[in-house]
């Protein structure tokens, strides 16, 4: 199958490598062309625009930073909709406001293009082996047509119904990530403040009901100040912005989300934005001294 990919950052690159290893033909575009080098080396066709990707593909995955970036590659100069055929399906893996997803879907529909929300959980380390968790919304017919492709990209796929539902769940999931990273980091910081070896804290935590995948894996990198990014702190801060925007649009105030957003903003301002999101521990190490 001819598959398109617009956006080849850390996640997009890993998704693309998995598509190539699965034997499909891949057409890829990224604004910074150097980020397509590994895909090209592995057999991808590198396009000079989203339009060129759409012209060659049956389905296009979009993996970009935010809703504005989705709109730009979808409807801007030399865009996806500029080169799309009527039966094209666009699967948007970006993390965006569900209200933006609805607007983008409506705009695509005017051009007879089907838009599916397809955000995922999991980083590049699992994406490269097709082990993501994917949430999909939109046309059920389009979902069923490409179900095998989605199940190649992700080991678990949940079809959720109307446009906006998948991105809503994705935001709720990323909220868990932000809160877990903060809780774990404050627990480690408190243990250190009491002159307790953080490994002892983790050993006890991970022997209880309250353990998480994060406390069992990433936490050991965290206490050794290893914050090589799989998903940057700056990107999680961006997602917290989107979470709080979406909550307001639903008539909600999420007090802990608002506070988490403030803490992550402080970390970005202090220069921690480009390390892994679990680097919130490194920020707290500096910021919590009385």
């Amino acid at each position: 199958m001819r598959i398109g990919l617009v956006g080849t950052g850390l996640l997009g690159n890993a998704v693309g490598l998995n598509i190539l290893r699965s034997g499909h033909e891949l057409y890829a575009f990224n604004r910074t062309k150097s980020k397509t080098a590994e895909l090209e080396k592995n057999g991808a066709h590198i396009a000079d625009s989203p339009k060129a990707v759409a012209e060659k593909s049956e389905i296009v995955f979009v993996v970009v930073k935010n809703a504005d970036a989705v709109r730009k590659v979808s409807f801007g100069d030399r865009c996806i909709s500029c080169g799309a055929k009527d039966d094209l399906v666009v699967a948007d893996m970006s993390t965006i406001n569900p209200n933006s997803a609805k607007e983008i879907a409506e705009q695509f529909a005017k051009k007879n293009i089907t838009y599916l929300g397809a955000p995922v959980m999991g980083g590049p380390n699992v994406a490269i082996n097709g082990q993501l968790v994917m949430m999909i919304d939109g046309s059920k017919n389009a979902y069923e047509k490409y179900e095998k492709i989605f199940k190649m990209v992700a080991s678990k796929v949940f079809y959720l119904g109307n446009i906006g539902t998948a991105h809503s769940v994705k935001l709720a999931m990323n909220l868990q990530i932000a809160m877990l990273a903060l809780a774990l980091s404050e627990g480690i910081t408190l243990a250190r403040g009491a002159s307790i070896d953080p490994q002892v804290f983790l050993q006890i935590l991970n022997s209880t009901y309250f353990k998480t995948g994060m406390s069992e894996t990433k936490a050991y990198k965290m206490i050794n100040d290893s914050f090589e990014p799989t998903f940057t702190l700056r990107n999680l801060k961006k997602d917290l912005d989107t979470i709080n925007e979406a909550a307001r649009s639903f008539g909600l105030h999420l007090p802990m989300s608002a506070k988490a957003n403030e803490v992550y903003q402080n970390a970005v301002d202090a220069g921690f934005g480009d390390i892994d999101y679990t680097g919130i521990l490194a920020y707290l190490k500096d910021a919590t001294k009385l």
Side-chain angles (χ1 to χ4, degrees):
M1 187 171 290
R2 290 173 285 108
I3 299 174
L5 177 64
V6 175
T8 61
L10 290 172
L11 180 61
N13 183 66
V15 169
L17 289 172
N18 178 50
I19 289 170
L20 288 167
R21 290 171 186 176
S22 300
H24 296 280
E25 199 169 357
L26 182 68
Y27 295 84
F29 168 81
N30 195 75
R31 185 178 58 181
T32 305
K33 191 174 181 181
S34 61
K35 291 184 178 180
T36 63
E38 188 175 11
L39 291 173
E40 186 172 26
K41 189 184 300 183
N42 282 272
H45 306 281
I46 306 306
D48 62 0
S49 67
K51 176 184 177 183
V53 170
E55 287 172 341
K56 296 289 187 179
S57 305
E58 299 166 59
I59 180 171
V60 175
F61 287 97
V62 176
V63 195
V64 294
K65 183 178 180 180
N66 54 32
D68 286 342
V70 175
R71 291 186 184 97
K72 184 172 182 179
V73 300
S74 299
F75 311 114
D77 294 334
R78 305 179 72 201
C79 61
I80 291 170
S81 59
C82 301
K85 304 172 287 295
D86 283 353
D87 59 350
L88 183 71
V89 171
V90 175
D92 182 15
M93 295 174 65
S94 313
T95 301
I96 65 174
N97 191 312
N99 297 312
S100 298
K102 292 175 185 177
E103 294 167 5
I104 291 166
E106 289 172 3
Q107 204 164 344
F108 268 126
K110 292 175 183 176
K111 299 178 180 294
N112 295 316
I113 300 167
T114 300
Y115 172 93
L116 297 177
V120 296
M121 295 300 297
N125 57 320
V126 295
I128 198 164
N129 297 313
Q131 296 297 306
L132 294 166
V133 175
M134 179 177 281
M135 298 143 282
I136 296 184
D137 61 27
S139 165
K140 191 168 186 180
N141 287 339
Y143 163 68
E144 290 175 344
K145 181 178 180 180
Y146 292 104
E147 186 174 4
K148 288 183 179 179
I149 298 298
F150 297 133
K151 290 185 175 178
M152 173 194 69
V153 172
S155 59
K156 294 184 179 179
V157 180
F158 296 87
Y159 176 74
L160 300 177
N162 294 333
I163 289 288
T165 52
H167 284 103
S168 295
V169 173
K170 168 61 174 174
L171 293 181
M173 294 301 298
N174 277 24
L175 177 55
Q176 308 309 301
I177 294 172
M179 295 301 192
L180 286 172
L182 272 174
L184 187 56
S185 294
E186 290 203 354
I188 292 168
T189 301
L190 183 62
R192 283 173 168 166
S195 299
I196 297 167
D197 184 344
Q199 291 221 31
V200 173
F201 164 68
L202 293 177
Q203 183 181 7
I204 296 169
L205 173 61
N206 289 331
S207 68
T208 73
Y209 175 80
F210 305 102
K211 66 184 178 181
T212 65
M214 193 183 297
S215 69
E216 290 185 310
T217 54
K218 281 208 170 197
Y220 292 94
K221 293 183 178 180
M222 293 165 66
I223 62 175
N224 288 309
D225 297 323
S226 178
F227 302 113
E228 183 179 352
T230 56
F231 185 68
T232 66
L233 194 152
R234 188 185 310 277
N235 277 336
L236 188 52
K237 163 63 178 72
K238 178 266 296 181
D239 288 350
L240 282 164
D241 288 340
T242 307
I243 288 163
N244 283 285
E245 289 167 6
R248 286 192 293 271
S249 75
F250 299 149
L252 301 172
H253 171 64
L254 303 179
M256 296 309 296
S257 298
K259 186 61 180 177
N261 201 13
E262 181 183 326
V263 175
Y264 277 87
Q265 181 63 63
N266 290 341
V268 171
D269 292 344
F272 294 88
D274 295 324
I275 61 176
D276 192 72
Y277 68 90
T278 53
I280 197 68
L281 174 61
Y283 164 71
L284 291 174
K285 187 177 181 180
D286 287 346
T288 55
K289 295 172 183 175
L290 295 176

